[in-house]
């Protein structure tokens, strides 16, 4: 018998044991999503470990296995555990706060298949965009960003850039597209359509992004070869999450930088 250790997106700081049915035994791994019964509800849980024994007498089985291979890697789980400990939330809440809506809803990863064209506001192209972005701050910021980015891209590593608001993300996205036209640059924020957000997340998982720009939740984006995190206007209130685990993205960025080395 195998048992899965599962966390749920509830304000309950506990890891629950569930029986892994024989038909799921081969594919159920740490980092997979599973369907479980919790009280009278059917919920999506996240497997954070496996065991050959349990102390539970009347144990419930996993009702469905959503992922045939893990979608949450070890570093993601380590980061969300650190966030849950630091901000006194459950591990499951921290995981769900970090995931796109589509993943939390149980959509199949790998099925998004969305190609999108990012429509920028009029007047945000080229030097006009740079002038607007650096309003009230020296242009040296952008130069310094690009100097660091050049070094990281030369080592074939990816870059994560955070901005506190969507409007600033759009401006930075356009500037980066103009500066690095041959690189794979993506934009993510929670107000995207569900399948669009999921499509960007899948590209990150698969190592198909060189530069990712996003709002606060992007700090958790699963870039497998991360080499640099840039946090623009790091003292902005827009980096504060208003729901549990109530994290600040710049602080999580520091945690992640340490874990990523």
């Amino acid at each position: 018998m195998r048992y899965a250790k599962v966390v749920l997106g509830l304000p309950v700081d506990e890891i629950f044991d569930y029986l892994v049915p024989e038909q799921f035994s081969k594919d159920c791994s740490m980092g997979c999503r599973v369907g479980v019964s919790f009280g009278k509800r059917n919920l999506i849980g996240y497997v954070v470990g496996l065991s050959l024994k349990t102390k539970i007498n009347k144990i419930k089985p996993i009702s469905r296995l959503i992922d045939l291979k893990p979608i949450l890697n070890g570093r993601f789980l380590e980061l969300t555990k650190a966030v849950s400990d630091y901000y006194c939330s459950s591990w499951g809440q921290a995981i769900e706060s970090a995931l796109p809506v589509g993943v939390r809803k149980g959509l199949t990863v790998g099925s998004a298949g969305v190609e999108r064209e990012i429509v920028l506001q009029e007047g945000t192209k080229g030097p006009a965009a740079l002038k607007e972005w650096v309003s009230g701050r020296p242009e040296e910021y952008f130069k310094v960003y690009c100097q660091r980015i050049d070094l990281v891209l030369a080592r074939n590593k990816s870059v994560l850039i955070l901005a506190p608001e969507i409007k600033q993300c759009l401006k930075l996205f356009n500037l980066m597209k103009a500066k690095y036209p041959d690189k794979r640059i993506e934009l993510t924020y929670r107000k995207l359509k569900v399948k669009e957000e999921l499509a960007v997340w899948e590209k990150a998982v698969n190592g198909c992004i060189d530069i990712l720009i996003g709002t606060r939740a992007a700090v958790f984006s699963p870039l497998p070869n991360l080499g640099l995190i840039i946090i623009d206007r790091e003292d902005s209130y827009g980096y504060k999450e208003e729901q549990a685990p109530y994290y600040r993205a710049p602080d999580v960025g520091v945690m992640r930088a340490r874990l990523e080395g």
Side-chain angles (χ1 to χ4, degrees):
M1 291 288 188
R2 293 178 77 214
Y3 304 94
K5 297 193 172 295
V6 177
V7 295
L8 303 170
L10 300 173
V12 181
D13 192 17
E14 189 172 343
I15 299 174
F16 300 95
D17 284 358
Y18 283 87
L19 174 68
V20 180
E22 186 62 33
Q23 66 266 33
F24 300 149
S25 184
K26 179 182 175 182
D27 298 311
C28 185
S29 304
M30 185 172 70
C32 288
R33 292 171 298 168
V34 292
V36 297
S37 172
F38 187 80
K40 295 182 178 180
R41 292 185 288 174
N42 293 317
L43 302 176
I44 292 175
Y46 308 92
V47 179
V48 297
L50 292 159
S51 176
L52 294 176
K53 30 185 172 174
T54 181
K55 294 181 180 179
I56 308 300
N57 292 324
K58 294 182 178 180
I59 190 166
K60 294 181 179 180
I62 290 171
S63 58
R64 65 183 177 124
L65 180 63
I66 300 172
D67 306 304
L68 295 180
K69 62 179 182 178
I71 64 166
L72 310 178
N73 64 34
R75 282 186 177 172
F76 176 91
L77 292 175
E78 190 176 359
L79 176 61
T80 50
K81 183 64 170 70
V83 168
S84 74
D85 290 343
Y86 187 81
Y87 291 101
C88 300
S89 74
S90 76
W91 193 357
Q93 284 177 307
I95 288 174
E96 292 215 323
S97 181
L99 292 175
V101 173
V103 178
R104 301 199 304 264
K105 286 185 174 182
L107 295 185
T108 303
V109 172
S111 64
V114 174
E115 290 296 331
R116 64 197 177 101
E117 178 182 355
I118 298 174
V119 179
L120 300 171
Q121 297 176 355
E122 185 178 355
T124 61
K125 293 188 176 182
L130 180 57
K131 184 177 180 182
E132 187 177 354
W133 180 73
V134 299
S135 177
R137 65 193 306 185
E139 192 172 326
E140 284 300 312
Y141 276 95
F142 186 67
K143 291 180 180 178
V144 170
Y145 290 176
C146 290
Q147 288 170 1
R148 300 292 178 88
I149 290 170
D150 289 344
L151 293 172
V152 171
L153 294 179
R155 292 160 47 210
N156 295 317
K157 288 185 172 289
S158 56
V159 177
L160 174 62
I161 304 175
L162 302 183
E165 297 175 0
I166 296 172
K167 184 178 179 181
Q168 291 163 335
C169 286
L170 285 167
K171 291 173 184 175
L172 282 167
F173 173 83
N174 201 32
L175 289 167
M176 291 299 163
K177 289 288 281 187
K179 175 70 175 175
Y180 303 101
D182 60 330
K183 297 300 181 182
R184 300 167 298 178
I185 303 175
E186 292 288 341
L187 178 69
T188 186
Y189 48 88
R190 281 288 154 84
K191 290 187 178 180
L192 284 174
K193 292 179 181 179
V194 172
K195 286 193 174 181
E196 289 183 342
E197 184 188 24
L198 180 58
V200 176
W201 192 83
E202 289 175 356
K203 287 182 180 180
V205 168
N206 294 322
C208 298
I209 298 177
D210 298 313
I211 301 174
L212 179 63
I213 300 161
T215 49
R216 62 178 175 267
V219 73
F220 296 102
S221 295
L223 297 165
N225 197 27
L226 186 61
L228 176 65
I229 302 172
I230 294 174
I231 302 175
D232 188 49
R233 303 176 189 267
E234 71 89 21
D235 59 347
S236 173
Y237 185 79
Y239 285 125
K240 174 69 176 176
E241 174 59 52
E242 298 295 341
Q243 302 179 65
Y246 303 103
Y247 67 85
R248 281 192 74 254
D251 297 334
V252 178
V254 172
M255 294 180 191
R256 184 168 185 184
R258 288 172 180 160
L259 290 174
E260 299 276 357

